[in-house]
Amino acid sequence: MTARMGTARLGPAERSAALAKMASAELDVVVIGGGVVGAGVALDATTRGLSVGLLEARDFASGTSSRSSKLIHGGLRYLEQLNFDLVREALQERALLLQRIAPHLVRPVPFLFPLTHFGWERPYVGTGLVMYDTLGYSAGLTRGVPGHRHLSRRRALRLAPALRRTAFSGAVQYWDAQVDDARYVMTMLRTAAGYGAHVASRAQVTGFLREGERVTGVRVRDLESGTDLRVRARQVVNATGVWTDEIQELVGGRGQIHVRASKGVHLVVPRDRIHSLTGIILRTEKSVLFVIPWGRHWIIGTTDTRWDLDKAHPAASRSDIDYVLEHVNAVLSVPLTRDDVEGVYAGLRPLLSGESEETSKLSREHVVAHPVPGLVMVAGGKYTTYRVMAKDAVDAVAHGLHQRVPPSCTDRIPLAGAEGYQALWNSRERLARSSGLHVARIEHLLQRYGSMIDEVLALIEEDPALGHPLTGADDYLRAEVVYAATHEGARHLNDVLTRRTHISIETFHRGLAVAEEAAGLLAGPLEWDDEQVKREIEHYTKRVEAERLSQEQDTDHEADAIRLGAPDIVPVAAPETSTA
């Protein structure tokens, strides 16, 4: 039991202890996959009183869950498709996340919808947004964001001077919410661990344990040590997103769920390249394009194209980047060029495969299946509705356990750092004075750690040098790098520069200028010798070089081949051919 319920460290010692616990006794449920859905399943199950283990082959949130548009939203395009149930469900989840579950991590964000057609478009969009606002009310909660408003072209230009005057006739502004996607997943896993779940990254499931037809656990390779272990469980949940079919193949037989990957590419540019006080949403011929405020940056995306190549490291090609630039430049008075792009990232959406060949038409709704006794599979859905997916998956687990299991309570479980956040935010000036940090730094820390800020400040009090910003990435303090290793499950340099922070996409040098300093800070808590520090920097450098070169290629195949030239610092193992 931790000192603060629902909050636990995920340091090296805790990882070792978690693996030992998982190998020593049968669990009620083991979850495969450390993305947002897997983390949600772990939290849902452990807060129902079940014994839980979670295994992730790479870093937490290293797949789709760190490469999203970083929005918590209902999805206007699903409303246009008349999918009212999906929109209502997502907007109710948005209200929960904003106001109860994670107010320190999820916050409102405004968007301007430029109108390009006279007459019909304003009432059409306006009617849709009335419905969007109405569907956003949740039982016992307000929407959590302001309602939409209509704007003339003149008023819209005051909010977004970057827009080209002749590109639109007026606008409607509405509100959604945004989140640091990777941080949210990691915080949810810390919350689950605080309630008793055993959590480990770089622990790959290579096969299943069987008793006849029934799945009774998993075979696991600790990728850090090379050790193999068996984890026995009464139920196993496959929450691996775009890897769903691969895990199904380990069981054998034809799967009930088929997932197709759709690639979405985002660009990151400095905030001063687009003069606007609001985000912007644009129609494209296939979907929508967002221009999203992100600290001192803008995130612009996304694309929507089929992807059948490497799933661990989807590559963005020159064509993808040009597509995004072309569409955003259609409305900007000062066009963006490739020289304005600080960062690029590509993620894969796990879409439930259907008859349509266009990925933008495939389903974002989720499905839960019991392909064989002892195994539950959950796939599809979207980031915003992870909690509903997790609830449905654990309901299926409960059915398979043949015992009375309490209903889900995660709609009333705040994530680690949420409790007391508002009081600390109101006291941020006092916190700044007592810590010696500028109030802007305190605000930054509160919006990343919430009430766990005291743990970061304790590191600085112990070593004042950790209160200095990183050279070359001064949005982040040196203490945050150390804390990522001691409390947040970071095992390698790439974990810190890509997911615990976002230095890899928020700087023109892509993190290369801070790699040496960050690796030196990680060496202590992760017990690296000089050789390992050098190896971490070399691997990170090769990764950045490969990504940059891949983004100069014209096709997906060319980009993928070059990106694969930079291997992971901890390669995954080959799956077992037999699951007996």
Side-chain angles (χ1 to χ4, degrees), residues 1-40:
M1 188 66 66
T2 60
R4 189 183 335 192
M5 193 62 162
T7 305
R9 292 171 62 126
L10 295 182
E14 288 77 18
R15 176 183 179 276
S16 297
L19 287 170
K21 287 272 181 65
M22 283 189 261
S24 66
E26 184 183 49
L27 300 168
D28 289 324
V29 56
V30 64
V31 183
I32 311 171
V36 72
V37 177

Side-chain angles (χ1 to χ4, degrees), residues 483-544:
Y483 187 80
T486 58
H487 289 71
E488 297 182 336
R491 301 285 305 167
H492 296 280
L493 179 62
N494 187 49
D495 301 347
V496 174
L497 298 185
T498 306
R499 285 171 290 276
R500 304 309 182 277
T501 71
H502 296 286
I503 293 169
S504 67
I505 58 169
E506 293 175 346
T507 56
F508 282 105
H509 55 73
R510 307 278 174 99
L512 293 180
V514 301
E516 188 173 346
E517 181 181 5
L521 290 165
L522 292 170
L526 294 176
E527 298 183 347
W528 292 345
D529 58 20
D530 291 345
E531 189 58 36
Q532 181 65 20
V533 169
K534 181 182 175 185
R535 188 166 165 263
E536 294 280 342
I537 295 169
E538 286 178 352
H539 267 80
Y540 185 79
T541 301
K542 286 177 182 174
R543 193 212 93 174
V544 171

Side-chain angles (χ1 to χ4, degrees), residues 28 32 35 87 113 120 125 151 175 201 237 306 308 493 533:
D28 289 324
I32 311 171
V87 175
F113 191 120
W120 65 269
V125 173
L151 301 170
W175 292 73
S201 65
V237 177
R306 181 166 178 161
D308 296 312
L493 179 62
V533 169

Side-chain angles (χ1 to χ4, degrees), residues 384-395:
T384 302
T385 57
Y386 81 85
R387 197 192 61 80
V388 180
M389 296 176 66
K391 170 186 174 295
D392 291 349
V394 181
D395 284 345

Side-chain angles (χ1 to χ4, degrees), residues 165-213:
R165 186 178 184 84
T166 57
F168 71 112
S169 58
V172 184
Q173 188 181 44
Y174 76 100
W175 292 73
D176 254 318
Q178 68 180 163
V179 68
D180 181 335
D181 48 6
R183 174 154 296 280
Y184 190 96
V185 173
M186 181 276 303
T187 305
M188 185 155 43
L189 287 167
R190 289 189 66 186
T191 310
Y195 283 104
H198 310 301
V199 175
S201 65
R202 296 302 190 323
Q204 182 187 356
V205 170
T206 57
F208 286 89
L209 304 177
R210 306 288 286 269
E211 289 291 341
E213 187 188 14

Side-chain angles (χ1 to χ4, degrees), residues 72 90-108 133 135-146 176-179 184 386-387 410-415 417-423:
I72 299 294
L91 290 176
Q92 289 175 348
E93 291 302 304
R94 184 190 71 182
L96 268 176
L97 269 56
L98 273 166
Q99 298 172 75
R100 184 183 297 165
I101 294 175
H104 57 313
L105 299 176
V106 182
R107 56 192 59 90
D133 286 345
L135 291 171
Y137 285 102
S138 177
L141 291 170
T142 65
R143 282 194 310 262
V145 300
D176 254 318
Q178 68 180 163
V179 68
Y184 190 96
Y386 81 85
R387 197 192 61 80
T410 53
D411 60 335
R412 302 182 299 281
I413 302 291
L415 295 194
E419 206 75 50
Y421 162 71
Q422 190 60 56

Side-chain angles (χ1 to χ4, degrees), residues 128-423:
L129 285 170
V130 167
M131 295 178 65
Y132 199 68
D133 286 345
T134 303
L135 291 171
Y137 285 102
S138 177
L141 291 170
T142 65
R143 282 194 310 262
V145 300
H148 75 283
R149 59 176 180 155
H150 287 265
L151 301 170
S152 64
R153 180 162 59 186
R154 178 182 295 177
R155 289 181 67 197
L157 284 168
R158 285 185 198 146
L159 285 175
L163 292 176
R164 185 160 45 84
R165 186 178 184 84
T166 57
F168 71 112
S169 58
V172 184
Q173 188 181 44
Y174 76 100
W175 292 73
D176 254 318
Q178 68 180 163
V179 68
D180 181 335
D181 48 6
R183 174 154 296 280
Y184 190 96
V185 173
M186 181 276 303
T187 305
M188 185 155 43
L189 287 167
R190 289 189 66 186
T191 310
Y195 283 104
H198 310 301
V199 175
S201 65
R202 296 302 190 323
Q204 182 187 356
V205 170
T206 57
F208 286 89
L209 304 177
R210 306 288 286 269
E211 289 291 341
E213 187 188 14
R214 173 170 287 276
V215 168
T216 58
V218 292
R219 303 177 193 273
V220 182
R221 170 75 52 85
D222 178 352
L223 297 178
E224 298 284 10
S225 68
T227 306
D228 290 319
L229 55 145
R230 294 180 169 213
V231 178
R232 292 177 296 120
R234 298 168 66 196
Q235 292 283 303
V236 176
V237 177
N238 174 10
T240 53
V242 293
W243 285 275
T244 297
D245 290 5
E246 284 83 345
I247 296 297
Q248 173 66 29
E249 287 173 12
L250 293 179
V251 182
R254 182 177 174 82
Q256 291 178 279
I257 299 176
H258 294 287
V259 172
R260 182 183 296 173
S262 164
K263 183 176 68 167
V265 171
H266 295 81
L267 311 184
V268 182
V269 303
R271 193 66 178 262
D272 64 7
R273 300 303 197 273
I274 300 174
H275 296 291
S276 179
L277 299 173
T278 176
I280 301 166
I281 179 173
L282 307 170
R283 280 182 183 274
T284 68
E285 64 275 12
K286 287 186 177 180
S287 182
V288 294
L289 190 80
F290 288 102
V291 180
I292 306 162
W294 181 255
R296 295 202 289 174
H297 318 271
W298 296 98
I299 293 175
I300 308 171
T302 180
T303 60
D304 192 348
T305 55
R306 181 166 178 161
W307 181 263
D308 296 312
L309 303 169
D310 181 59
K311 292 179 179 179
H313 306 293
S317 67
R318 172 182 284 276
S319 303
D320 294 323
I321 295 169
D322 289 346
Y323 172 90
V324 175
L325 289 174
E326 177 189 345
H327 281 80
V328 74
N329 283 340
V331 299
L332 295 180
S333 56
V334 179
L336 298 173
T337 70
R338 285 178 66 96
D339 290 339
D340 294 314
V341 177
E342 293 173 289
V344 180
Y345 65 94
L348 300 178
R349 305 176 192 87
L351 303 180
L352 296 177
S353 187
E355 298 301 317
S356 171
E357 285 303 304
E358 289 185 64
T359 60
S360 56
K361 300 280 178 64
L362 296 183
S363 176
R364 294 307 303 270
E365 296 187 59
H366 69 274
V367 64
V368 175
H370 246 311
V372 296
L375 178 65
V376 171
M377 306 185 85
V378 55
K382 50 192 296 230
Y383 196 109
T384 302
T385 57
Y386 81 85
R387 197 192 61 80
V388 180
M389 296 176 66
K391 170 186 174 295
D392 291 349
V394 181
D395 284 345
V397 165
H399 181 75
L401 288 175
H402 303 296
Q403 70 182 58
R404 184 170 176 78
V405 175
S408 175
C409 62
T410 53
D411 60 335
R412 302 182 299 281
I413 302 291
L415 295 194
E419 206 75 50
Y421 162 71
Q422 190 60 56

